[in-house]
């Protein structure tokens, strides 16, 4: 048995016993110029748009690194508190659901909430919650997480794929909350991918590769910190150790983030460990795609998958060692 199979994540009960780590230094205010920094623009047919990105594809049979990677490091900035349970939004800020699912859903097979809804809306600038943010592209809104100094992990199907290794623009705002951007926003300059996944439907192959690593135009991770990444092991199937966060359209109109803990994942046995389709019954709605699933090892957070898709009876995430390799390659080529 490999080391990764022996190294189980902490249980939800163990995580609940962990105490908040208080910041060791004052957090410096984000430079106002950085907060307001605009993307490079391009003019097409007399109209001006944010400039798109370049993309780098790694062939499905090609490894992202010479070595078999199992994880990349995390970074906790000591100017931030470290909270294992985020602060919920204050009662005074709570609003009605943006979409009432029961009346909105009429099509058979649209169900993505199983049982009572366990998602909670939070507003926390503590680590690791500050690493999760709102992703925008020409295709709409998704979620993502800092996975390196200037590196974003999100879903592939939010990328506006275009010819000649080009894509449309992408904007990331960590800990976006009702229009606030405590760390500013950044724009993608390069996308690393395994498969050009495009919606609205996602097939059995695409769900194994529905993740990208986007290189951002500034090192936001030095302020927010970032999660580590870890290759998913089928030995963790059924362990309710995982958390998820993202920006759902139903509860908050993608304007405020939600989280859920105690999630069990189930890696499929027919796909290889390097590209896993991972099923789960976490509470999901469009907008949460690209949001990370993570657990804690020795009290430190590592992302293992991104939210991808659903069918009438189950939800799906994408992970595996290829995800880790993609993170490593992007970080090596764009430190």
């Amino acid at each position: 048995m490999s080391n990764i199979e022996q190294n189980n994540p902490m249980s939800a009960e163990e995580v609940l016993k962990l105490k908040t780590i208080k910041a060791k230094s004052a957090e410096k205010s984000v430079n106002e110029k950085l907060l307001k920094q605009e993307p490079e623009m391009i003019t097409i047919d007399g109209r001006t748009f944010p400039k798109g990105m370049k993309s780098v594809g790694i062939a499905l049979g090609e490894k992202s690194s010479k070595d078999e990677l199992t994880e990349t490091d995390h970074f906790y900035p000591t100017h931030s508190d470290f909270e294992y349970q985020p602060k919920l939004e204050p009662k005074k800020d709570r609003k009605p659901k943006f979409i009432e699912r029961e009346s909105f859903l009429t099509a058979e097979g649209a169900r993505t909430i199983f049982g009572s809804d366990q998602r909670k809306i939070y507003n926390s600038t503590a680590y690791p919650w500050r690493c999760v943010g709102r992703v925008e592209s020409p295709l709409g809104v998704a979620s993502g997480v800092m996975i390196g100094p200037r590196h974003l992990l999100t879903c592939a199907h939010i990328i506006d794929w275009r010819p000649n290794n080009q894509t449309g623009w992408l904007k990331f705002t960590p800990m976006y909350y009702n229009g606030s951007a405590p760390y500013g926003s950044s724009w993608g300059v390069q996308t690393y991918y395994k498969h050009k996944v495009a919606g609205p439907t996602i097939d059995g192959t695409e769900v194994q590769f529905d993740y990208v690593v986007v290189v951002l135009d500034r090192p936001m991770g030095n302020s927010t910190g970032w999660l580590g990444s870890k290759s998913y092991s089928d030995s963790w199937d059924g362990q309710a150790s995982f958390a998820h966060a993202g920006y759902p359209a139903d509860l908050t109109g993608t304007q405020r983030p939600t989280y859920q803990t105690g999630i069990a994942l189930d890696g499929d046995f027919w796909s290889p460990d390097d590209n896993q389709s991972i099923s789960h019954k976490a509470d999901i709605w469009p907008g949460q795609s690209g949001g990370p699933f993570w657990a804690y090892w020795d009290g430190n957070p590592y992302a293992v998958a991104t939210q991808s898709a659903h069918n009438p009876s189950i939800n799906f995430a994408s992970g595996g060692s290829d995800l880790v390799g993609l993170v490593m390659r992007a970080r090596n080529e764009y430190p």
Side-chain angles (χ1 to χ4, degrees), residues 29-303:
S29 60
V30 179
N31 186 296
E32 285 295 320
K33 185 177 180 181
L34 186 65
L35 285 173
K36 297 176 181 178
Q37 184 174 327
E38 295 295 331
E40 186 177 351
M41 306 298 287
I42 186 171
T43 300
I44 303 174
D45 296 331
R47 299 181 64 187
T48 302
F49 304 89
K51 189 176 180 180
M53 302 179 285
K54 297 179 180 179
S55 62
V56 176
I58 299 176
L60 299 189
E62 176 188 350
K63 286 299 170 188
S64 306
S65 173
K66 294 180 181 179
D67 300 319
E68 185 66 24
L69 299 167
T70 59
E71 66 179 57
T72 59
D73 65 358
H74 75 288
F75 169 57
Y76 160 51
T78 55
H79 56 251
S80 164
D81 290 347
F82 190 148
E83 293 178 349
Y84 293 95
Q85 302 293 323
K87 290 182 175 65
L88 301 182
E89 68 173 1
K91 288 184 178 180
K92 64 180 179 63
D93 294 335
R94 294 178 187 174
K95 297 174 176 61
K97 292 180 182 178
F98 192 79
I99 294 173
E100 287 292 345
R101 294 183 305 274
E102 291 74 14
S103 58
F104 181 79
L105 289 180
T106 56
E108 186 67 26
R111 183 182 183 190
T112 59
I113 307 292
F114 303 93
S116 60
D117 194 337
Q118 300 298 308
R119 296 172 297 173
K120 298 177 182 178
I121 302 170
Y122 69 92
N123 185 8
S124 172
T125 55
Y127 179 84
W129 312 96
R130 63 199 279 138
C131 302
V132 177
R134 188 173 186 260
V135 175
E136 300 170 67
S137 85
L139 303 183
V141 175
S143 305
V145 68
M146 292 300 296
I147 205 74
R150 55 183 298 200
H151 308 89
L152 166 71
L153 176 66
T154 186
C155 58
H157 70 258
I158 195 61
I159 302 298
D160 180 22
W161 303 107
R162 296 182 179 178
N164 303 318
N165 296 322
Q166 300 292 313
T167 78
W169 58 267
L170 182 138
K171 179 182 179 182
F172 177 63
T173 308
M175 201 44 238
Y176 176 94
Y177 181 89
N178 270 356
S180 69
Y183 313 106
S185 297
S186 56
W187 301 79
V189 296
Q190 181 108 326
T191 298
Y192 287 82
Y193 68 93
K194 292 290 292 188
H195 193 80
K196 291 183 178 179
V197 179
T201 59
I202 296 176
D203 64 29
T205 298
E206 292 173 326
V207 78
Q208 297 172 237
F209 302 98
D210 195 7
Y211 48 78
V212 293
V213 178
V214 176
V215 180
L216 303 172
D217 64 357
R218 66 205 76 171
M220 307 188 85
N222 293 337
S223 178
T224 64
W226 61 82
L227 272 61
S229 66
K230 193 179 285 282
S231 179
Y232 188 78
S233 168
D234 287 332
S235 65
W236 305 334
D237 287 356
Q239 297 182 28
S241 298
F242 295 90
H244 172 78
Y247 286 76
D250 62 331
L251 289 186
T252 71
T254 73
Q255 293 299 304
R256 290 125 66 216
T258 66
Y259 83 100
Q260 182 180 354
T261 59
I263 299 167
L265 303 179
D266 184 8
D268 69 59
F269 62 87
W270 59 85
S271 62
D273 288 343
D274 53 1
N275 44 85
Q276 285 252 357
S277 169
I278 300 170
S279 61
H280 64 88
K281 287 195 173 182
D283 299 323
I284 297 297
W285 192 266
Q288 290 174 245
S289 289
F293 287 87
W294 78 90
Y296 295 91
W297 282 261
D298 297 324
N300 299 312
Y302 290 83

